[in-house]
Amino acid sequence: MHVEEKQQKVNKAKKADKKQRRCLAIIKSDCHVTPSNDPTTYLAILNVGLSNGLTEENLLQAAAKSGGKVTEVVMLPGKSYCFLVCASMEDSELIYLAMHNVSTIGQLGAVAYLSYVKELPALAGKSEWNRPLPSGLLVISDFVSGEEEATLLKAIAEDGKTSEGTGTLKHRHVKHFGYEFLYGSNNVDPSKPLELAIPFACDILWPRLENSATAWDWSTPDQLTVNEYEPGHGIPPHVDTHSAFLDPILSLSLQSDVVMDFRRGEEQVQVRLPRRSLLIMSGEARFDWTHGIRPKHIDVVPSASGGLTTQARGKRTSLTFRRLRRGPCDCAYPTLCDTRQTKTPQELTVSLAAQAVSLELQNVHEVYDKIADHFSETRHSPWPQVAGFLDSFDPQSVVLDVGCGNGKYLGCNPRLLAIGCDRAQGLLAVGRRKGQNVFRCDCLSVPVRSSSIDGCISIAVIHHLATGERRLAAIQEMARVLRPGGRALIYVWAKDQRKNDKKSAYLRQNKAVNKERTTEQEQRQKQHKELDELPNNTPLPVHTNRTEFQQQDVLVPWKTKDEQRTTYLRYYHVFEEQELENLVAQLPEVKLVKSYYDQGNHCVIFEKISKNCS
Amino acid sequence: MKLSTYNFLTSMAIKGVKVGFPLKLTINKKDVVESEFNPTFVERILPKLDWSAVYGAAQVAELTEDIPAVQPENIGENEVLLQKLHHLLFEIDVLEGQLECPETGRVFPITDGIPNMLLNEDEV
């Protein structure tokens, strides 16, 4: 028995040695780190890392059991190993002896193998703790006393407007005072103040800020949002809408500490927000950096002695104080600025009218010609309500699809005589190969006899026209070719990609945002950098795909699937509610039959008035 | 381009053109694509077509013996004629050729079976 146990121990050690050698060889070829037989202050965790689920906090907790002190953790993305920097050789030895072949921090409780190494991988960045804070960021510790904390919590617990957007806020409780923050638009409605203003209990705060406030846009706030975070809750990285609030934004942390991430492009800084501290975000920190809280139960924080340690989160309440801006933002940071991303409607309409034809040529027709085959591959299944409209006609009706693309609707109902037209030669060729009846023309001059067609459809076409007059003219052409009593269906892209707080299919495909791994704002910020070099001689902003539209006239990127991954910019005018109905109402020869919203599109059905009726 | 499609096309969008119909058809290359004959379909589609353009197309396709110059009455009872109309309208496929505006002489080419009716900006 005794001998057997001894044998098992030897086997275990042998296995560990073997495993250790194999891992070290991989790490050496991977990032040129040399193992050391003698103790060093650098420890490699050989078989566990980010790729197999190790978190910084689990590692630190395991290391802390040994009594050894860690000053830095180096976790490399996508790697199954990581490194610890220890405070001294003694700390390093303590951790090695306690963890190597003992600590079960691996996947499914697998044991970890450690080794001393001579250096850290060259690509290991500087710790996120040792970077300078974003300019304009200030954390004032002990801004309120424990007693005041209790008073404030009591004051806000009693009232306040609870946010109804449960879909968007599945991870935290939110209340508003003064004005409601609307999560659908990320804005406030200045014309609708709430009955409950900011509680008087908060008035103790403002005299303490008198000196700083001389440099601010405001001295007392008029809007308060209260967030309650349970451990494990977070908030995705975001910037507070520029045009909604003045500079700065204040946030008081109560009940528990937390770590907040600040990001600007690739830059990332972690900031500890202690319980009862006040965070002030002004200037660059308010306008050009996003801030967010990772959904975790435990934070990694610097320890008092200069090392790193873990800290369990408790329930935390934050009070965010802001003042409404009531006008456009005038900041110097355009990337995340909603005002800068939007031209004034008047200015834009004038410039669009002047270049409508060339804009449509360059940013619609030429693009569709280039992307025809790839675009066509993505357009195969007919939308059910369009197919339903085509099925509503008597057999042997003549139906014209204006802007038929690859002709996917022409074969929908074989009992009809369906004819399609489009401007894009490449798309017509696809339809033609499928045996469809197609010809090439512009939707503003349809070369079809007047009053000869029983039904017309135009799906996702007239939102490519750059002025209201041209959009109206296209509808008028459809009305002209319809026989009296004939009906037309039009689909255009809606600016509003939500209905009754439900996201359209277009938004639902943005998985990263929906799973709260990132935000639309952050995606915009990233894209802004990527698309900077793209030629854009239009006055229009580039829309970020699968996010809400920021304005009506935009360029929408199309990335090809080939190796070049070329990005083309398509012009779109996305429609406001009622806008399509208003265009139809301008034509006396037709009457509106139905209008509806279908998966991010505004849709109308209209009928040409019979001769006898008119 | 099927000759049923031809029946609907006009050049009236050209500046100054009043009717622009029927367009003068030239066939340089055609194909015959057989399709299932449905007499009801042909009969019911006829009122939506312009007979002069049906007859004109028959002339160009050299099928004048089959198609009379004037639309006969009670065509539904004449299945032989319906069959011939089916062939003319839905089976003949113009691959190469042209359409010409009867008033201005502007030519619209038909290439690979697709008529190009696109006008220049200064023509509309």
Side-chain angles (χ1 to χ4, degrees):
Chain A
M1 195 69 183
H2 189 71
V3 179
E4 263 178 42
E5 259 178 36
K6 216 172 181 180
Q7 189 58 41
Q8 268 182 358
K9 253 192 178 165
V10 171
N11 284 345
K12 200 182 167 199
K14 261 192 180 168
K15 191 185 163 198
D17 280 350
K18 211 169 141 193
K19 188 92 183 170
Q20 208 177 17
R21 274 199 306 276
R22 203 186 305 149
C23 292
L24 278 167
I26 295 171
I27 298 173
K28 180 151 194 197
S29 77
D30 210 19
C31 56
H32 310 291
V33 168
T34 339
S36 163
N37 288 324
D38 303 318
T40 64
T41 54
Y42 302 123
L43 279 172
I45 317 294
L46 300 170
N47 59 336
V48 207
L50 284 178
S51 77
N52 42 19
L54 183 65
T55 60
E56 215 174 313
E57 46 277 21
N58 283 349
L59 177 58
L60 280 171
Q61 280 175 334
K65 284 184 199 154
S66 70
K69 206 167 87 186
V70 175
T71 55
E72 203 178 325
V73 181
V74 179
M75 311 273 284
L76 301 173
K79 299 296 178 196
S80 60
Y81 50 84
C82 57
F83 302 89
L84 292 175
V85 183
C86 305
S88 69
M89 219 78 96
E90 289 74 44
D91 291 302
S92 184
E93 278 179 276
L94 277 174
I95 294 169
Y96 181 85
L97 288 173
M99 287 184 73
H100 174 60
N101 207 6
V102 176
S103 193
T104 51
I105 53 171
Q107 224 166 13
L108 304 170
V111 72
Y113 302 108
L114 276 70
S115 170
Y116 298 111
V117 289
K118 289 183 176 156
E119 66 269 298
L120 288 179
L123 54 141
K126 234 183 141 193
S127 156
E128 283 163 8
W129 291 103
N130 299 329
R131 291 180 193 159
L133 292 186
S135 160
L137 188 81
L138 188 64
V139 180
I140 308 174
S141 296
D142 295 308
F143 192 75
V144 293
S145 69
E147 250 171 68
E148 287 166 339
E149 178 186 43
T151 314
L152 287 168
L153 285 169
K154 191 162 171 270
I156 53 164
E158 284 163 2
D159 285 306
K161 168 93 168 83
T162 308
S163 211
E164 279 155 12
T166 46
T168 47
L169 298 171
K170 47 187 180 241
H171 296 315
R172 54 183 209 276
H173 292 286
V174 178
K175 267 183 184 186
H176 305 284
F177 296 86
Y179 294 85
E180 183 177 6
F181 186 77
L182 306 164
Y183 290 91
S185 59
N186 281 321
N187 214 320
V188 281
D189 184 346
S191 68
K192 288 185 185 153
L194 296 171
E195 267 177 46
L196 283 164
I198 298 176
F200 293 122
C202 301
D203 290 348
I204 52 164
L205 307 171
W206 321 129
R208 294 173 200 181
L209 292 165
E210 248 168 20
N211 288 338
S212 337
T214 51
W216 295 352
D217 292 348
W218 54 271
S219 53
T220 53
D222 57 5
Q223 198 274 336
L224 164 62
T225 293
V226 179
N227 280 285
E228 283 176 26
Y229 299 87
E230 296 294 336
H233 289 180
I235 184 167
H238 66 280
V239 71
D240 292 51
T241 307
H242 285 202
S243 67
F245 304 108
L246 291 169
D247 190 22
I249 311 275
L250 308 184
S251 184
L252 190 64
S253 293
L254 301 179
Q255 291 175 293
S256 170
D257 294 11
V258 82
V259 172
M260 189 170 256
D261 294 320
F262 282 82
R263 299 191 211 183
R264 182 171 65 176
E266 299 295 300
E267 295 172 82
Q268 189 162 342
V269 181
Q270 303 206 322
V271 179
R272 190 177 180 180
L273 305 180
R275 176 179 182 178
R276 293 188 286 100
S277 71
L278 182 75
L279 166 72
I280 303 176
M281 291 179 279
S282 68
E284 195 180 292
R286 183 257 178 276
F287 292 117
D288 213 26
W289 290 72
T290 64
H291 54 278
I293 296 169
R294 290 183 216 190
K296 302 203 292 188
H297 285 88
I298 297 163
D299 278 313
V300 172
V301 291
S303 65
S305 51
L308 287 175
T309 183
T310 56
Q311 187 178 50
R313 286 186 192 166
K315 181 186 171 176
R316 172 176 172 269
T317 300
S318 77
L319 277 59
T320 303
F321 296 100
R322 303 178 278 207
R323 190 163 185 97
L324 268 56
R325 184 180 290 273
R326 298 166 192 276
C329 174
D330 55 358
C331 74
Y333 309 95
T335 308
L336 295 177
C337 183
D338 57 308
T339 297
R340 289 292 203 85
Q341 300 298 320
T342 325
K343 283 230 168 197
T344 67
Q346 227 178 351
E347 194 187 343
L348 193 62
T349 308
V350 170
S351 99
L352 280 179
Q355 51 175 300
V357 174
S358 65
L359 179 70
E360 289 165 20
L361 187 69
Q362 210 176 78
N363 292 93
V364 181
H365 310 316
E366 283 179 7
V367 174
Y368 277 111
D369 273 335
K370 282 179 192 136
I371 68 172
D373 286 331
H374 177 212
F375 176 81
S376 176
E377 282 165 30
T378 65
R379 300 291 185 279
H380 31 77
S381 37
W383 287 336
Q385 300 207 61
V386 179
F389 178 76
L390 291 170
D391 281 338
S392 73
F393 286 89
D394 291 334
Q396 297 94 39
S397 293
V398 182
V399 169
L400 180 70
D401 185 348
V402 180
C404 65
N406 64 5
K408 73 169 178 176
Y409 288 112
L410 297 176
C412 260
N413 181 351
R415 292 169 307 163
L416 305 175
L417 172 56
I419 304 173
C421 58
D422 206 284
R423 257 205 79 136
Q425 186 67 32
L427 290 172
L428 289 170
V430 177
R432 166 74 201 173
R433 281 200 293 274
K434 292 189 285 188
Q436 313 292 13
N437 302 311
V438 293
F439 59 88
R440 187 175 187 214
C441 73
D442 193 284
C443 66
L444 293 174
S445 320
V446 180
V448 167
R449 286 190 277 128
S450 301
S451 303
S452 66
I453 302 289
D454 300 302
C456 227
I457 61 170
S458 178
I459 309 303
V461 175
I462 67 167
H463 54 214
H464 285 311
L465 296 168
T467 67
E469 289 75 27
R470 292 168 76 80
R471 294 185 282 271
L472 180 65
I475 302 176
Q476 196 152 27
E477 268 296 83
M478 281 178 243
R480 180 186 63 78
V481 301
L482 279 183
R483 67 163 169 84
R487 285 173 295 134
L489 170 69
I490 301 177
Y491 266 57
V492 291
W493 217 357
K495 176 162 181 277
D496 196 354
Q497 288 292 310
R498 288 166 191 267
K499 193 80 176 178
N500 305 325
D501 212 39
K502 267 198 185 145
K503 292 181 173 186
S504 69
Y506 179 71
L507 291 184
R508 284 203 304 276
Q509 283 173 44
N510 193 337
K511 300 226 167 67
V513 167
N514 295 337
K515 298 223 165 116
E516 298 205 347
R517 285 199 297 269
T518 180
T519 55
E520 292 193 349
Q521 286 167 338
E522 198 175 47
Q523 291 185 334
R524 274 179 209 124
Q525 196 176 28
K526 279 200 181 127
Q527 176 177 287
H528 197 80
K529 290 222 162 84
E530 276 174 33
L531 296 184
D532 257 358
E533 325 84 68
L534 269 188
N536 176 6
N537 50 7
T538 75
L540 299 170
V542 179
H543 167 69
T544 301
N545 273 321
R546 313 245 170 252
T547 66
E548 304 231 29
F549 290 102
Q550 304 283 290
Q551 52 273 310
Q552 282 198 273
D553 294 283
V554 289
L555 297 172
V556 177
W558 179 279
K559 211 177 242 180
T560 60
K561 278 266 159 22
D562 56 13
E563 276 172 25
Q564 281 85 32
R565 303 285 286 162
T566 318
T567 301
Y568 294 105
L569 299 175
R570 283 173 300 162
Y571 165 75
Y572 276 90
H573 171 85
V574 288
F575 277 61
E576 294 283 11
E577 214 172 326
Q578 283 296 318
E579 188 178 345
L580 187 56
E581 288 92 327
N582 290 343
L583 286 177
V584 172
Q586 289 183 52
L587 301 175
E589 65 271 38
V590 304
K591 67 170 186 210
L592 187 70
V593 176
K594 187 182 168 187
S595 69
Y596 60 100
Y597 179 90
D598 183 15
Q599 285 300 346
N601 296 286
H602 290 303
C603 322
V604 292
I605 296 175
F606 63 80
E607 185 181 319
K608 189 163 180 177
I609 295 165
S610 304
K611 272 177 190 150
N612 341 351
C613 306
S614 57
Chain B
M1 179 194 71
K2 301 282 170 57
L3 295 174
S4 46
T5 301
Y6 162 72
N7 203 284
F8 289 94
L9 297 178
T10 135
S11 59
M12 65 179 285
I14 300 176
K15 214 186 314 180
V17 170
K18 290 199 176 70
V19 185
F21 184 85
L23 297 167
K24 196 176 156 213
L25 171 68
T26 307
I27 301 177
N28 294 332
K29 191 179 165 194
K30 69 179 181 202
D31 201 2
V32 174
V33 187
E34 270 183 48
S35 72
E36 201 189 325
F37 170 51
N38 176 349
T40 323
F41 188 89
V42 181
E43 187 195 345
R44 299 228 179 121
I45 217 92
L46 277 179
K48 302 168 197 292
L49 301 182
D50 181 287
W51 189 268
S52 71
V54 173
Y55 179 70
Q59 279 185 306
V60 181
E62 291 163 351
L63 294 168
T64 34
E65 287 167 33
D66 298 345
I67 314 290
V70 178
Q71 183 172 355
E73 282 180 32
N74 300 327
I75 214 163
E77 291 153 24
N78 187 349
E79 194 160 323
V80 177
L81 180 57
L82 286 176
Q83 172 96 53
K84 286 171 178 167
L85 285 166
H86 168 76
H87 174 70
L88 173 71
L89 296 169
F90 301 111
E91 294 192 322
I92 293 178
D93 192 11
V94 182
L95 300 180
E96 308 291 330
Q98 66 177 51
L99 299 165
E100 189 186 313
C101 169
E103 293 166 49
T104 63
R106 159 71 145 100
V107 167
F108 301 95
I110 304 168
T111 317
D112 296 326
I114 304 172
N116 183 359
M117 307 300 291
L118 198 58
L119 293 166
N120 298 325
E121 224 187 302
D122 56 5
E123 290 177 289
V124 291

